[in-house]
Amino acid sequence: EYAENVFNCLCECLMLEVNRELFLKADGVQLMILLIKRRKLKKDTKNKAKKHLLSQFNKLLRDSSIRVLSHAVQGHPSACNTLVDSNGLGSVFGILMLRPKGLDETATAVPGYVLSVL
């Protein structure tokens, strides 16, 4: 829940143009791309509950990162250029190609965020 709250705060902060500039200068776009590319945290445990929690956390990181990236590039051409220069489009298209396993709230919202990035 803490990580989700941090990403929510980032999205709210990125609604202001000044904060988008600061986010870009702090290499926030590259960080979000790295979080999207980093698909799996270490899951070599035999504990099924721990594996499930790590899987859920990986999904949260990916979905929240694309949401923050969507807010960061909205109406900001230099952030869009950074996204393209950092080879982030491949990661963004990769998320669009994923098939959701269940129809929960994030399964229907994530494609919308991906399309807003594009």
Side-chain angles (χ1 to χ4, degrees):
E1 186 175 343
Y2 177 76
E4 190 173 5
N5 290 339
V6 169
F7 282 106
N8 286 338
C9 289
L10 270 174
C11 289
E12 292 295 323
C13 290
L14 288 172
M15 290 186 178
L16 296 175
E17 183 68 31
V18 174
N19 292 339
R20 282 189 216 146
E21 284 291 330
L22 293 172
F23 188 74
L24 185 63
K25 287 180 185 174
D27 295 332
V29 173
Q30 288 92 340
L31 177 63
M32 293 302 118
I33 293 169
L34 284 175
L35 288 176
I36 292 169
K37 286 181 179 179
R38 182 182 179 186
R39 299 211 173 173
K40 295 180 182 174
L41 293 175
K42 200 169 187 178
K43 289 191 210 177
D44 62 351
T45 181
K46 293 182 181 183
N47 186 347
K48 287 185 180 182
K50 190 174 180 182
K51 278 185 182 181
H52 178 70
L53 285 175
L54 285 174
S55 173
Q56 292 298 103
F57 187 69
N58 288 328
K59 185 178 182 305
L60 172 78
L61 278 179
R62 184 190 69 229
D63 295 350
S64 298
S65 297
I66 194 68
R67 190 165 40 100
V68 170
L69 196 58
S70 168
H71 287 355
V73 299
Q74 211 168 40
H76 201 277
S78 57
C80 295
N81 290 336
T82 304
L83 176 69
V84 172
D85 292 343
S86 301
N87 297 326
L89 289 179
S91 301
V92 172
F93 277 115
I95 289 175
L96 192 59
M97 299 303 288
L98 290 175
R99 294 183 185 189
K101 291 182 181 176
L103 291 176
D104 58 350
E105 182 181 319
T106 58
T108 57
V110 170
Y113 289 122
V114 170
L115 292 176
S116 73
V117 170
L118 299 176

